[in-house]
Amino acid sequence: METIHERKNKFYMGANEEEPIGLLNYHIEGELFIIEHVYVTKELRGQELGVKLVARAVAFARKNKLKIIAYCSYAEKVLTENQDYHDVFSLSNN
């Protein structure tokens, strides 16, 4: 299982922050957690790494009492399809 590391405005997977195998960039505006981009290396796509990064973002948002907005279409799809995330995300946030 790949560890998710946290840095300012990002969560990433991999041994090297400069060349991650998975990355979720975000920023916070007031009470909003805005997911800008989710990236997984081409070789590892289809292995749910992006889903795990979004799940980590949801946990962070819940812990900090933030609502999520997704600028990234992949993150929006993951958030929309998982009913368990609707407490922090809904299409009406956009």
Side-chain angles (χ1 to χ4, degrees):
M1 178 164 199
E2 194 64 45
T3 300
I4 298 176
H5 306 281
E6 182 177 341
R7 296 292 184 265
K8 183 174 172 59
N9 296 330
K10 73 172 101 170
F11 299 114
Y12 75 94
M13 296 173 160
N16 183 342
E17 180 180 359
E18 302 305 318
E19 296 178 25
I21 60 171
L23 174 70
L24 183 146
N25 289 325
Y26 69 89
H27 70 277
I28 296 173
E29 289 182 19
E31 296 179 2
L32 297 176
F33 181 97
I34 301 168
I35 298 176
E36 299 169 350
H37 182 70
V38 177
Y39 168 78
V40 174
T41 60
K42 193 173 188 175
E43 301 78 28
L44 297 175
R45 290 182 188 154
Q47 297 183 27
E48 305 275 312
L49 297 183
V51 171
K52 291 175 185 173
L53 287 163
V54 172
R56 178 64 182 89
V58 168
F60 181 92
R62 285 180 177 146
K63 177 181 176 188
N64 293 284
K65 297 179 176 37
L66 302 169
K67 292 293 184 181
I68 296 175
I69 292 177
Y71 291 167
C72 169
S73 60
Y74 175 81
E76 183 176 338
K77 179 178 187 282
V78 172
L79 291 160
T80 301
E81 291 177 352
N82 191 325
Q83 294 289 324
D84 293 337
Y85 296 162
H86 288 192
D87 63 311
V88 292
F89 172 81
S90 72
L91 289 175
S92 64
N93 286 339
N94 294 327

